[in-house]
Amino acid sequence: MAFGKYPPSSIKWRLYCRSVWFILPFLLCLSHIVCGQIRYTIPEELKKGSLIGNIAQDLGLDVQRLRSGRARIVTRQSKQYTELKTDKGILVVNERIDREQLCGDVTPCSFSLEVILENPMELHRITVEILDINDNSPTFRKEEIKFEISESATLGSRFLLASAEDADVGSNGLQKYILTTNDIFGLKQHSSPDGRKYAEMILQKTLDRESEPRISMKLIAVDGGTPPRSGTVNVDITVLDANDNPPLFNQSLYRATVLENALKGTYITTVNASDADSGSNGLVTYRFSNMNEQLADIFHLDEITGTITLVGKVDYEKDKKYEIMIEAMDQGGLTDSSKVQIEIVDVNDNAPVINVMSFSSPVPEDSASGTTVAIIHVSDADSDQNGQIVCTTDPNIPFKIKSTLTNYYALVTDSSFDRELVPEYNITVWAKDSGSPSLSSTTILHLKIADVNDNAPLFDNMVYVAHITENNSPGVSIFSIKARDIDWNQNARISYFLEETQINGSPVSSYVSINTETGDIHAVRSFDYEQIKQLELVVKAQDGGSPPLSSNVTVKILVQDQNDNPPQVLYPVQTGGSVVAEMVPRSADVGYLVTKVVAVDVDSGQNAWLSYKLQKATDRALFEVGLQNGEIRTVRQVTDKDAVKQRLSVIVEDNGQPSRSATVIVNVAVADSFPEVLSEFTDFPHDKEYNDNLTFYLVLALAVVSFLFITSLVVIISVKIYRWRQSRVLYQSNLPVIPYYPPRYSDTLGTGTLQHVYNYEVCRTTDSRKSDCKFVRAGSQNVLIMDPSSTGTMQRIQNEKSILDEPDSPVEVS
């Protein structure tokens, strides 16, 4: 392309100038989509990378917004003519743009593209208009134009010249024809309704074949560019012998229509021209004039009949009409021309095309109504009613279609979601045109609903009851608690915690612990039913959402009793320092109540049910023990032959599994008076175990003292030991304490306990064991207490035989 006639500044302006128009207000848009339109104008043939426009500035957007919104361009062109530089916010040329290839002779020439941004979604349409530059010269299809003209041609005869073709448009297109100077033919130029220019030669001087049988000229086609371009073709004229009547068409313009889906061979129209000459000079033939190769493949003209038929395929979406020049020629070379205009009738042969421009999945279940889910572009290549599209979706799902820009639709939410009810949707989008019959297309969008933490964990029960046996091992599992959360993933991940409460003044965590993952409750310590019978704690189940949701439940842990305590004998009391004896008169009848063994068990239930049995006795035929109440009664009549000193061993056993027991020794004196009892009970052995321990410590003390003081303190130590031994002998001289039930004794409550008040008779010696006893006796008192602290000579104590056959022993527990 030549620019020699223009200054550099004007050249730059012609190549790179652009204009921007904002269309305000914007088209109707959704509340969630920002829409706008921009129009740029650039010349064709710009180099790759040439600036088209600053989109960020013209749309009022920040460059950072283009990056964060993942801005991209969408175009319906087969080639990607433009490129969006998101780092600079500019639109540049991506591929050389040839206006003639893009639009042909259509003006103005433009193409549209859409810029789509996300988060939030924005849609902007950009129209780029391509300005023509004079980069194509006019050309003729043939290298020469030949005419055969009769010499009898009348002045003013017209001869249609072959038209030149210029791919440029506007002022850069074909503007005029120039015929080289001659005095025989003149040139007349014409313009067709579609803007095409053609020329005719007009005979201005009578031809004379004899003087000039051949005429050669040049036809020059010139465009309007700066500088102008031109094309040249030779015009060769052969002068024929006289044929003075040219053919004449009966119509200057023929009109016809054909359906775009018409089959090959379809009749279109017939042209007709007549010639007044006769013979061969009146024989007319027809041919296409100035028709390009594409049309020759579509239409056929019968050169004899003038019938035009369809031999190729026509497409309304490509060309809506065709204009063809027809030439009629007689045998003498005389011609006439006429035009045939063929209009293509649109047929609904194109179904709508659905393109999903942007699709957001998943969508949070708490999305507000009206949230944009997808942007859809629907196009139909048909026109009028056949190209009018209605876009819909299933009315039974919470979505609807809204129109935004032309042929653009937004899929938006129509109500709220609940992922727990419907976790995903298959959305079918229908696009239907208005043709008859109508054509439609569908596409399916698979939308997932993202979970939101809107459900708290739930327990199956309001209160849980668990049991644990006392004396458990620390760390043992007591109970497992489970909660359900119908949310998903992290929102449904449940952790368990103990609420801070107090049990008997101590924190609950000192009693039990809970596994945060599984909900297993473990004992921290060993439980004792006798100390704590029930634990009541609050467990909180909390999910992993943000913010987390939680629920509480009460867990009652009941401690179950275990037979871990033996019976405890409350009466008779066993002491190491004195002997308690029950006195039975020799006149006692059968069933006489001697005493009552009173015992308790701190366990509960059947573990505390006690039974009493006679284990050993001096005379088993004389006494029996009540199985349930522990009462010791005589079985037969007491006789004089019965020994004064009776020793009974009673075992008290609970009902646990396994059972536990305690043994108590009951001393019974069979006598009618206290002196008789005293004579039998005064010789009582020392506690053997106690004496053994005492001997050990005395020997140890003597060894240490002897080592320290050696010989000098032997005499002093001997005296001290002697005196100490004398005091211990007096102290350890025990007399029995004989309890005695008053005659009015009865077990009125049936609980196996005695009355709270016991009466005793006390007798002590005044000088020695041989002296008589002195009594202090009340009217109803029959119990004798013998105080081991009495003073006097007690040297016979260690030589007397014990009244009892066996030494007294403390309560035995098993």
Side-chain angles (χ1 to χ4, degrees):
M1 184 171 62
F3 295 99
K5 297 182 180 181
Y6 298 92
S9 59
S10 64
I11 294 173
K12 182 178 180 181
W13 183 89
R14 288 174 59 83
L15 287 176
Y16 300 102
C17 67
R18 67 181 183 273
S19 57
V20 180
W21 294 272
F22 287 96
I23 298 178
L24 295 173
F26 292 148
L27 299 176
L28 179 62
C29 300
L30 293 178
S31 59
H32 296 277
I33 303 178
V34 179
C35 307
Q37 288 193 358
I38 305 176
R39 187 179 184 89
Y40 294 106
T41 301
I42 62 171
E44 65 174 331
E45 302 294 340
L46 287 180
K47 294 181 180 179
K48 183 177 180 180
S50 300
L51 176 67
I52 296 176
N54 192 323
I55 288 181
Q57 178 180 344
D58 296 335
L59 290 177
L61 298 175
D62 187 17
V63 175
Q64 182 62 32
R65 170 68 180 122
L66 295 179
R67 295 197 195 104
S68 63
R70 295 190 295 174
R72 61 186 185 275
I73 59 176
V74 179
T75 179
R76 295 181 297 277
Q77 304 298 323
S78 59
K79 294 183 179 180
Q80 191 74 23
Y81 289 115
T82 59
E83 181 183 5
L84 177 61
K85 300 287 187 180
T86 56
D87 57 338
K88 298 179 180 179
I90 61 175
L91 187 69
V92 298
V93 175
N94 185 55
E95 187 174 344
R96 184 183 69 86
I97 303 175
D98 187 353
R99 192 208 65 80
E100 289 74 25
Q101 182 182 0
L102 180 65
C103 300
D105 57 357
V106 177
T107 57
C109 177
S110 64
F111 64 91
S112 297
L113 54 95
E114 287 74 31
V115 177
I116 297 179
L117 294 91
E118 298 179 354
N119 300 321
M121 290 187 180
E122 296 184 31
L123 177 64
H124 304 281
R125 171 169 291 173
I126 298 175
T127 302
V128 179
E129 182 179 352
I130 308 302
L131 297 179
D132 183 51
I133 63 174
N134 192 23
D135 58 341
N136 294 282
S137 299
T139 57
F140 292 90
R141 294 184 61 228
K142 297 180 179 181
E143 294 182 357
E144 62 178 6
I145 302 174
K146 294 182 178 182
F147 288 96
E148 294 180 348
I149 303 175
S150 174
E151 64 178 346
S152 62
T154 59
L155 296 178
S157 296
R158 297 178 299 169
F159 302 91
L160 183 64
L161 296 173
S163 299
E165 294 179 358
D166 193 338
D168 295 326
V169 295
S171 61
N172 294 325
L174 179 64
Q175 297 296 320
K176 62 181 179 178
Y177 292 92
I178 300 174
L179 191 62
T180 54
T181 304
N182 68 88
D183 58 348
I184 299 175
F185 292 96
L187 185 67
K188 186 174 183 180
Q189 302 186 46
H190 302 277
S191 295
S192 62
D194 60 353
R196 294 176 178 267
K197 292 181 170 57
Y198 62 95
E200 292 179 331
M201 288 191 309
I202 300 176
L203 184 61
Q204 297 177 343
K205 183 180 178 180
T206 302
L207 296 175
D208 187 2
R209 188 189 65 83
E210 287 72 21
S211 62
E212 193 173 6
R214 296 181 64 87
I215 301 173
S216 294
M217 299 176 291
K218 289 186 180 295
L219 180 63
I220 304 172
V222 182
D223 64 20
T226 304
R229 291 174 175 267
S230 63
T232 303
V233 65
N234 291 325
V235 180
D236 293 330
I237 301 173
T238 300
V239 180
L240 302 177
D241 200 12
N243 179 25
D244 53 357
N245 290 292
L248 295 175
F249 281 100
N250 58 2
Q251 291 180 220
S252 61
L253 176 66
Y254 292 87
R255 297 180 184 272
T257 60
V258 63
L259 297 176
E260 64 173 326
N261 62 348
L263 301 176
K264 292 182 179 181
T266 300
Y267 170 80
I268 296 177
T269 188
T270 300
V271 296
N272 183 40
S274 60
D275 193 322
D277 292 328
S278 61
S280 62
N281 291 331
L283 185 61
V284 180
T285 58
Y286 304 93
R287 65 181 180 182
F288 290 124
S289 175
N290 300 324
M291 188 172 70
N292 57 38
E293 295 179 358
Q294 292 180 346
L295 292 180
D297 295 334
I298 299 175
F299 303 102
H300 174 262
L301 173 63
D302 190 306
E303 64 178 9
I304 302 300
T305 62
T307 300
I308 301 175
T309 56
L310 184 67
V311 294
K313 292 184 178 180
V314 292
D315 191 347
Y316 177 86
E317 286 70 42
K318 291 183 178 180
D319 294 292
K320 295 178 175 56
K321 67 178 180 178
Y322 296 91
E323 291 186 352
I324 306 173
M325 296 299 296
I326 305 295
E327 186 180 65
M329 179 183 292
D330 61 17
Q331 297 300 310
L334 298 180
T335 62
D336 191 15
S337 62
S338 181
K339 182 185 296 184
V340 177
Q341 187 178 85
I342 303 173
E343 293 186 358
I344 308 302
V345 178
D346 184 36
V347 175
N348 191 25
D349 58 346
N350 294 282
V353 178
I354 301 174
N355 292 313
V356 179
M357 300 289 100
S358 181
F359 179 52
S360 297
S361 179
V363 173
E365 63 176 318
D366 61 350
S367 298
S369 179
T371 300
T372 301
V373 175
I375 295 178
I376 302 170
H377 177 264
V378 183
S379 60
D380 194 320
D382 294 321
S383 63
D384 299 331
Q385 288 293 112
N386 296 329
Q388 293 183 3
I389 303 171
V390 176
C391 192
T392 59
T393 187
D394 189 350
N396 297 321
I397 58 176
F399 300 94
K400 61 182 179 180
I401 298 289
K402 285 189 176 182
S403 178
T404 56
L405 298 175
T406 305
N407 295 333
Y408 276 88
Y409 298 87
L411 178 67
V412 299
T413 60
D414 194 30
S415 63
S416 58
F417 302 119
D418 190 345
R419 189 206 63 82
E420 289 69 38
L421 295 178
V422 182
E424 59 185 25
Y425 292 91
N426 286 323
I427 307 169
T428 302
V429 178
W430 288 277
K432 182 179 181 182
D433 61 27
S434 301
S436 180
S438 63
L439 300 177
S440 62
S441 299
T442 61
T443 187
I444 297 177
L445 304 177
H446 184 68
L447 178 67
K448 292 185 177 181
I449 306 301
D451 185 49
V452 174
N453 191 27
D454 56 350
N455 293 280
L458 295 177
F459 292 96
D460 292 334
N461 300 322
M462 297 298 294
V463 178
Y464 289 90
V465 178
H467 298 82
I468 185 173
T469 305
E470 66 171 333
N471 302 317
N472 58 283
S473 299
V476 69
S477 177
I478 302 174
F479 187 68
S480 183
I481 193 168
K482 291 292 181 184
R484 296 174 293 102
D485 195 319
I486 59 177
D487 289 323
W488 183 75
N489 204 2
Q490 186 65 27
N491 295 330
R493 186 171 297 172
I494 301 175
S495 299
Y496 302 90
F497 305 95
L498 289 175
E499 291 287 3
E500 289 297 331
T501 56
Q502 297 287 323
I503 298 178
N504 293 339
S506 300
V508 68
S509 58
S510 64
Y511 289 88
V512 295
S513 65
I514 189 168
N515 188 308
T516 58
E517 296 293 332
T518 63
D520 293 338
I521 299 175
H522 297 270
V524 174
R525 63 168 68 175
S526 178
F527 297 120
D528 188 352
Y529 175 83
E530 288 70 41
Q531 294 182 1
I532 183 168
K533 295 179 174 56
Q534 175 179 314
L535 292 84
E536 185 169 314
L537 49 103
V538 178
V539 176
K540 179 172 75 172
Q542 179 175 293
D543 60 29
S546 179
L549 301 177
S550 62
S551 298
N552 291 349
V553 70
T554 299
V555 178
K556 292 182 178 180
I557 300 176
L558 303 179
V559 181
Q560 294 180 330
D561 184 43
Q562 197 176 41
N563 191 26
D564 58 341
N565 292 284
Q568 297 178 4
V569 178
L570 301 180
Y571 186 85
V573 180
Q574 302 292 302
T575 62
S578 61
V579 177
V580 178
E582 306 293 343
M583 191 171 68
V584 177
R586 292 187 180 277
S587 60
D589 294 330
V590 177
Y592 178 81
L593 178 62
V594 178
T595 186
K596 183 175 183 179
V597 177
V598 180
V600 295
D601 195 320
V602 295
D603 291 323
S604 64
Q606 66 178 9
N607 295 329
W609 298 349
L610 302 179
S611 60
Y612 302 85
K613 298 177 182 178
L614 184 61
Q615 186 180 32
K616 294 180 181 180
T618 304
D619 187 354
R620 298 185 67 90
L622 182 58
F623 302 100
E624 68 175 359
V625 179
L627 181 64
Q628 302 298 330
N629 54 24
E631 292 179 351
I632 300 176
R633 296 179 181 271
T634 57
V635 179
R636 59 176 175 79
Q637 183 70 40
V638 179
T639 64
D640 294 337
K641 297 180 180 181
D642 293 325
V644 175
K645 178 183 176 184
Q646 298 285 337
R647 179 184 174 90
L648 306 178
S649 177
V650 179
I651 183 170
V652 183
E653 188 175 24
D654 60 26
N655 197 37
Q657 293 295 330
S659 63
R660 301 175 73 91
S661 62
T663 303
V664 63
I665 302 299
V666 179
N667 295 309
V668 179
V670 180
D672 290 326
S673 62
F674 284 112
E676 183 182 358
V677 174
L678 292 176
S679 64
E680 294 292 336
F681 278 84
T682 51
D683 187 12
F684 195 78
H686 293 291
D687 190 324
K688 184 177 183 301
E689 181 180 356
Y690 177 80
N691 288 336
D692 291 343
N693 292 334
L694 180 62
T695 303
F696 171 77
Y697 288 115
L698 288 175
V699 172
L700 180 62
L702 286 172
V704 173
V705 172
S706 298
F707 178 77
L708 296 176
F709 296 98
I710 314 173
T711 307
S712 61
L713 299 178
V714 170
V715 177
I716 299 174
I717 295 302
S718 298
V719 174
K720 292 290 185 180
I721 292 174
Y722 176 78
R723 292 179 180 178
W724 181 78
R725 281 180 176 273
Q726 291 297 324
S727 64
R728 292 300 295 171
V729 168
L730 294 177
Y731 174 74
Q732 293 174 359
S733 182
N734 297 326
L735 292 178
V737 178
I738 304 173
Y740 177 73
Y741 291 106
R744 293 190 300 269
Y745 171 80
S746 65
D747 187 2
T748 58
L749 299 177
T751 60
T753 60
L754 295 175
Q755 294 178 341
H756 294 289
V757 179
Y758 303 97
N759 298 321
Y760 299 93
E761 291 182 352
V762 180
C763 175
R764 58 174 68 180
T765 59
T766 57
D767 184 29
S768 68
R769 294 186 71 250
K770 294 181 178 180
S771 62
D772 295 333
C773 296
K774 293 183 179 181
F775 298 95
V776 179
R777 186 182 183 89
S780 61
Q781 293 175 341
N782 294 324
V783 181
L784 176 64
I785 298 178
M786 300 177 184
D787 192 348
S789 62
S790 301
T791 61
T793 303
M794 305 189 70
Q795 297 173 350
R796 292 176 56 200
I797 190 168
Q798 297 187 8
N799 298 323
E800 292 290 333
K801 183 179 179 181
S802 174
I803 296 177
L804 301 177
D805 294 334
E806 298 178 7
D808 292 337
S809 61
V811 176
E812 298 178 3
V813 179
S814 62

